[in-house]
């Protein structure tokens, strides 16, 4: 418990007190935001605001997590390291994109396919690592089974690998496609949400905060918990390192809370793709390793809405040869153009995101009660 509280406190202190130093450094390096010409006119005043704030969030998370373990004498786990690996890996992809934008002095960095390629490489390496390293109970960090609140035996890619060489290729192929889909969908969902001051940061705090609760509860009700009561054995969780997932989630939340102090309207620094892709990667990793993949539809509901609005807008535009459903996508820009103040859009989207997170955590707990 000490590591849980300490990691969050240290990471928050890091970003809260050191972000101003990074803002000055980024300004000297001329790492300023470039604004889309076709975006809302009110956003042009933000041109030049320090970006790549995801660097601060990542450093704050690493500082909080590892320093907390050092102070408390606890050991790290493979699961926690995997969350950090995916977070940092996608953060690197985002950094390259942000760096090219600042260097070219345009709002375009990596091409769409280049960014996807980077995400695929990181996610594929991560996927292979996640089904290695079994602990003493035989649990690997991830499984080849699709999960909702627990693994769904009916959708087990691992079972296909028993049918010879073809089965192995098909089973692992489907598993890799599934993991890549989750990682790309979640990281890009956070990425498109990051369009207003504090919107993606606040929404990420809510979503990742859910995994603190989930990880803590799974550790109490773990099948490996020697103190688990007899009446709860039938509904225990076979998740590896659930408490460590809660610790790393706390470190991330703490880092983003401290960063949000400077990222809220009017923002003095933006997450950039460095931060949005990194946070999306963390959300995806926590969902996969906690066996709550499909529950992301609720826990990451605000990201689903934002990404969905872009998909729907583009599909409708092509099908109708130029007509639009929204004034502009992602959907938060639609409400801006409808006359809502930026801070109004942000707070109302936080409320929606919070309600969806509450529904997700509530569903998680209700499943345990009903089992």
């Amino acid at each position: 418990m000490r590591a849980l509280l300490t990691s969050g406190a240290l990471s928050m202190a890091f970003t809260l007190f050191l972000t101003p130093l990074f803002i000055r450094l980024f300004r000297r390096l001329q790492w300023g935001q470039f604004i889309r010409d076709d975006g809302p006119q009110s956003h042009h005043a933000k041109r030049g605001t320090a970006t790549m704030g995801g660097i601060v969030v990542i450093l704050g998370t690493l500082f909080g997590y590892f320093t907390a373990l050092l102070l408390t004498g606890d050991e790290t786990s493979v699961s926690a390291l995997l969350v950090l690996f995916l977070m940092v890996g996608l953060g690197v992809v985002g950094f390259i994109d942000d760096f090219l934008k600042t260097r070219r002095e345009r709002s375009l960095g990596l091409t769409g396919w280049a960014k996807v390629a980077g995400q695929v490489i990181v996610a594929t390496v991560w996927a292979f690592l996640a089904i290695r390293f079994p602990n003493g109970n035989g649990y690997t960090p991830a499984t080849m089974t699709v999960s909702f609140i627990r693994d769904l035996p009916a959708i087990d890619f691992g079972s296909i690998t028993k049918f010879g060489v073809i089965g192995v290729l098909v089973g692992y192929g489907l598993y890799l496609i599934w993991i890549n889909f989750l990682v790309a969908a979640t990281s890009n969902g956070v990425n498109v949400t990051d369009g207003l001051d504090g919107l993606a940061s606040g929404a990420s705090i809510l979503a990742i905060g859910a995994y603190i609760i989930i990880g803590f509860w799974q550790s109490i009700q773990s099948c490996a918990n020697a103190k688990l009561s007899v009446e709860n054995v039938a509904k225990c969780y076979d998740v590896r390192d659930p408490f460590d997932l809660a610790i790393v989630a706390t470190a991330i939340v703490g880092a983003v809370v401290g960063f949000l102090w400077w990222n809220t309207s009017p923002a003095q620094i933006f997450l950039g793709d460095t931060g949005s892709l990194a946070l999306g990667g963390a959300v995806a990793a926590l969902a996969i390793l906690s066996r709550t993949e499909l529950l992301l539809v609720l826990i990451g509901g605000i990201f689903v809405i934002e990404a969905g609005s872009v998909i729907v807008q583009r599909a409708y535009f092509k099908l109708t040869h130029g007509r639009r459903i929204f004034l502009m996508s992602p959907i938060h820009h639609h409400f801006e153009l409808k006359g809502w103040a930026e801070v109004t859009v942000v707070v109302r989207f936080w409320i929606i995101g919070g309600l969806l997170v509450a529904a997700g955590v509530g569903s998680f707990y209700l499943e345990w009660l009903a089992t």
Side-chain angles (χ1 to χ4, degrees):
M1 181 61 74
R2 286 190 304 151
L4 185 78
L5 299 175
T6 304
S7 65
L10 289 174
S11 60
M12 182 175 67
F14 183 97
T15 54
L16 182 61
F17 296 114
L18 295 184
T19 297
L21 299 180
F22 283 97
I23 292 173
R24 289 197 287 271
L25 173 62
F26 293 171
R27 285 174 178 168
R28 286 186 180 180
L29 294 172
Q30 297 183 333
W31 288 357
Q33 181 71 29
F34 290 86
I35 307 299
R36 291 168 53 184
D37 294 330
D38 60 344
Q41 291 300 310
S42 60
H43 286 213
H44 288 277
K46 301 179 181 183
R47 183 182 179 90
T49 301
T51 188
M52 302 194 211
I55 294 173
V56 189
V57 173
I58 292 171
L59 291 177
T61 299
L62 296 175
F63 172 79
Y65 177 71
F66 287 111
T67 305
L69 294 186
L70 183 65
L71 292 175
T72 59
D74 294 344
E75 295 183 358
T76 188
S77 68
V78 172
S79 297
L81 292 177
L82 281 169
V83 174
L84 296 175
F85 175 87
L86 192 56
M87 182 181 185
V88 174
L90 292 185
V92 170
V93 176
F95 173 79
I96 295 171
D97 187 45
D98 286 332
F99 181 77
L100 291 176
K101 290 176 184 176
T102 59
R103 186 173 183 179
R104 296 170 179 173
E105 299 187 355
R106 297 178 60 197
S107 61
L108 299 174
L110 288 171
T111 63
W113 285 112
K115 186 182 291 187
V116 169
Q119 291 172 312
V120 167
I121 291 170
V122 174
T124 299
V125 172
W126 186 90
F128 277 114
L129 293 174
I131 52 175
R132 300 291 185 269
F133 311 109
N135 62 7
N137 297 306
Y139 300 152
T140 53
T143 66
M144 294 179 67
T145 305
V146 175
S147 62
F148 173 44
I149 294 175
R150 302 172 190 265
D151 282 344
L152 301 172
I155 316 177
D156 182 5
F157 302 133
S159 63
I160 303 175
T161 62
K162 300 174 184 178
F163 300 99
V165 176
I166 299 299
V168 170
L169 293 176
V170 172
Y172 277 98
L174 291 173
Y175 165 70
L176 290 177
I177 291 171
W178 174 240
I179 296 298
N180 272 279
F181 169 75
L182 288 175
V183 172
T186 309
S187 58
N188 288 321
V190 179
N191 187 228
V192 299
T193 305
D194 185 31
L196 301 179
D197 295 353
L199 177 54
S201 298
S204 296
I205 290 169
L206 294 169
I208 297 173
Y211 290 104
I212 300 175
I213 300 171
I214 289 172
F216 185 78
W217 182 251
Q218 286 179 334
S219 69
I220 294 174
Q221 302 297 334
S222 171
C223 298
N225 186 353
K227 298 180 180 179
L228 185 68
S229 59
V230 176
E231 60 269 22
N232 290 334
V233 170
K235 51 186 178 182
C236 67
Y237 298 98
D238 56 1
V239 175
R240 174 173 176 166
D241 314 314
F243 192 70
D244 294 303
L245 292 177
I247 294 174
V248 76
T250 304
I252 299 169
V253 167
V256 183
V257 167
F259 179 80
L260 182 58
W261 183 272
W262 307 100
N263 181 233
T264 193
S265 184
Q268 299 181 48
I269 186 170
F270 297 137
L271 279 171
D273 283 13
T274 309
S276 58
L277 293 184
L279 290 176
V283 173
L286 288 166
I288 295 166
L289 300 183
S290 64
R291 313 288 202 273
T292 56
E293 294 164 358
L294 296 180
L295 197 61
L296 263 177
V297 174
L298 288 175
I299 291 177
I302 196 66
F303 307 130
V304 175
I305 292 170
E306 290 275 18
S309 70
V310 175
I311 295 170
V312 169
Q313 179 88 321
R314 290 182 177 177
Y316 188 77
F317 184 87
K318 290 182 179 180
L319 289 174
T320 60
H321 305 289
R323 297 178 64 184
R324 291 177 171 84
I325 297 177
F326 308 111
L327 296 176
M328 184 178 179
S329 65
I331 196 170
H332 56 254
H333 289 319
H334 169 80
F335 290 106
E336 272 196 294
L337 295 177
K338 292 280 286 186
W340 291 19
E342 180 174 357
V343 68
T344 301
V345 179
V346 170
V347 173
R348 288 177 178 172
F349 273 49
W350 283 352
I351 293 171
I352 295 170
L355 291 173
L356 290 168
V357 166
V361 175
S363 300
F364 172 82
Y365 184 62
L366 286 174
E367 186 274 344
W368 181 84
L369 289 178
T371 302

